[in-house]
Amino acid sequence: MIEARRLHILRAVADHRTVTAAAAALYLTPSAVSQQLTALEQETGHRLVERSAKGVRLTPAGEILLSHTNVVLAQLERAEAELAAYRSGAAGTVTVASFATGIAQVVAPAVARLAVSSPGIRLRVQDAEGDASLPMVLDRQVDIAVAVEYRGAPAADDPRLTHVPLYAEPFDAVVPLNHRLADAEEVPLADLAKDPWIGPYPGNPCHDVVVLACENAGFQPRLEHSSDDFRAVVALASADAGVALVPRSALRGMDLTAVVVRPVDGVAPTRRVFAAVRRGAEGHPLIQPVLEALGEAAG
């Protein structure tokens, strides 16, 4: 008989690609993870992982088991949701990981909505970028991630996750007051090809949006200054350090007196924001009201 918790360990190893990283995500020791993998191999009668200097990869048998693992774990999430509904579990804590602007845009309003509609549900919020929050959901460190689509992110049809679209917003061009395009009604990205750029660090989903938009305009941005804090990005643009693309909602409440903000000419780069939960958990009586409140806040 295969133990479900060992399947969860197998998926963590497949996601993180090393025993050490999987152990850290699951709050286990590497030796404990290795022991559970060995036990799973004994239970199935197949070698499931291959170790090398570069990490761990699944064998063909391991890949077969992983495809069933995603189905089994999703069904277990559904079972937990139905049992919780049976006992009318309308009170408890739900943990949400979100990037900072997402917290301001939808998570904080959802907290206020839930205080009225579902006073028994308490949200615990953690600040985390999308590339960090999605693994946190898969590793059961949080219940819900509010994240941004980015290259390499789990797709909407990923068997491990359920995606709930929330909102999409354009990026605007931010240039210094004395910039040659400061008087333009819209800024063509191609005209910024030779400028120094200010933007998020690689790994931040917004970095991917900026780089991809510039690539589509025919150039690679020369990123001379890096910050994941858009207030810092705008401050550097105010100091004539370069140009930037910033999500529109991130500009709200900022001091923009020393910069010019203009729409991008043509198809504007856009970040698409969604909530994600482990597949099968979307119907949980604690999680479903939170997803609904996030959707209402986004709408």
Side-chain angles (χ1 to χ4, degrees), residues 3 15 23 30 49 60 66 78-80 82 123-124 182 186 202 216 218:
E3 288 193 20
D15 287 343
V49 298
L66 180 64
R78 293 187 186 98
E80 291 182 6
E82 289 187 17
L123 285 195
R124 179 178 293 129
E186 295 182 333
N216 289 338

Side-chain angles (χ1 to χ4, degrees), residues 1-150:
M1 182 68 72
I2 298 174
E3 288 193 20
R5 66 191 179 96
R6 290 177 182 151
L7 294 178
H8 183 62
I9 288 173
L10 177 70
R11 188 164 78 177
V13 169
D15 287 343
H16 293 281
R17 302 182 182 235
T18 71
V19 168
T20 301
L26 298 174
Y27 300 102
L28 297 172
T29 64
S31 62
V33 170
S34 295
Q35 289 170 8
Q36 293 299 318
L37 287 175
T38 299
L40 185 58
E41 289 179 329
Q42 292 172 348
E43 288 173 347
T44 60
H46 291 278
R47 187 179 181 188
L48 302 175
V49 298
E50 292 181 348
R51 294 172 174 82
S52 70
K54 295 182 179 180
V56 177
R57 69 179 184 87
L58 298 190
T59 64
E63 293 287 355
I64 291 172
L65 184 57
L66 180 64
S67 67
H68 291 283
T69 292
N70 291 327
V71 176
V72 169
L73 294 182
Q75 192 59 42
L76 287 174
E77 292 282 357
R78 293 187 186 98
E80 291 182 6
E82 289 187 17
L83 287 171
Y86 176 74
R87 67 174 180 263
S88 299
T93 299
V94 176
T95 305
V96 179
S98 172
F99 58 101
T101 311
I103 292 174
Q105 189 84 351
V106 293
V107 178
V111 171
R113 288 174 181 271
L114 288 166
V116 176
S117 63
S118 302
I121 297 177
R122 174 175 174 263
L123 285 195
R124 179 178 293 129
V125 181
Q126 298 183 22
D127 189 336
E129 293 297 336
D131 57 327
S133 63
L134 293 175
M136 290 167 72
V137 168
L138 291 171
D139 294 334
R140 302 183 71 89
Q141 296 173 11
V142 301
D143 301 304
I144 300 173
V146 174
V148 177
E149 291 181 5
Y150 62 95

Side-chain angles (χ1 to χ4, degrees), residues 100-281:
T101 311
I103 292 174
Q105 189 84 351
V106 293
V107 178
V111 171
R113 288 174 181 271
L114 288 166
V116 176
S117 63
S118 302
I121 297 177
R122 174 175 174 263
L123 285 195
R124 179 178 293 129
V125 181
Q126 298 183 22
D127 189 336
E129 293 297 336
D131 57 327
S133 63
L134 293 175
M136 290 167 72
V137 168
L138 291 171
D139 294 334
R140 302 183 71 89
Q141 296 173 11
V142 301
D143 301 304
I144 300 173
V146 174
V148 177
E149 291 181 5
Y150 62 95
R151 286 187 288 191
D157 61 353
D158 189 296
R160 302 168 298 170
L161 296 167
T162 293
H163 283 219
V164 179
L166 293 178
Y167 65 94
E169 65 172 328
F171 282 61
D172 288 326
V174 178
V175 302
L177 281 178
N178 61 355
H179 193 272
R180 63 187 181 281
L181 296 177
D183 293 330
E185 291 187 5
E186 295 182 333
V187 173
L189 281 185
D191 290 354
L192 300 176
K194 295 183 179 181
D195 286 85
W197 277 73
I198 312 156
Y201 283 101
N204 184 315
C206 288
H207 173 89
D208 285 347
V209 175
V210 171
V211 171
L212 184 59
C214 293
E215 289 175 353
N216 289 338
F219 69 99
Q220 282 281 341
R222 180 162 53 91
L223 282 163
E224 292 200 356
H225 310 284
S226 298
S227 175
D228 289 334
D229 185 336
F230 286 117
R231 291 185 181 277
V233 170
V234 170
L236 287 167
S238 300
D240 202 12
V243 299
L245 288 174
V246 177
R248 188 165 292 171
S249 66
L251 294 169
R252 293 174 186 161
M254 285 195 196
D255 180 5
L256 302 175
T257 55
V259 294
V260 173
V261 178
R262 292 288 185 266
V264 172
D265 184 36
V267 179
T270 302
R271 70 170 173 183
R272 292 174 172 80
V273 180
F274 62 93
V277 299
R278 293 180 294 278
R279 190 171 291 270

